[in-house]
Amino acid sequence: MFATLAQQIIDRVSRLDTDQQQKVLEFVQDLERPRGASVEALLKFAGRIPLEDIERMEQAMEDLERINPDEW
């Protein structure tokens, strides 16, 4: 029978030396950390960018998505 994923991880980590186990622990802890800004932090900026600026940013992104075959 196949071991569960968790059991496979435990088996492999148990074969590592203490320093390597510490690195694995730090890696897993890093994976658990939230990434990016919280919703609350972003909401502070809601409505602060003028619509005209947003439209210009959207246009700039669209321009970047276009491929000019003559440039290849």
Side-chain angles (χ1 to χ4, degrees), residues 12-70:
R12 288 181 180 244
V13 171
S14 67
R15 290 184 244 155
L16 301 174
D17 65 38
T18 305
D19 289 338
Q20 291 172 317
Q21 289 179 2
Q22 182 64 39
K23 289 179 183 178
V24 171
L25 176 60
E26 290 168 4
F27 176 73
V28 171
Q29 289 170 331
D30 186 56
L31 289 175
E32 293 175 325
R33 286 192 192 106
R35 302 282 184 215
S38 68
V39 172
E40 293 79 16
L42 293 175
L43 283 176
K44 293 190 300 187
F45 299 102
R48 295 201 179 191
I49 301 174
L51 181 57
E52 182 180 305
D53 290 349
I54 292 173
E55 290 169 347
R56 283 191 287 184
M57 286 187 272
E58 288 175 341
Q59 184 61 51
M61 287 186 279
E62 288 174 14
D63 291 345
L64 290 172
E65 292 173 353
R66 288 195 197 108
I67 297 174
N68 184 345
D70 295 331

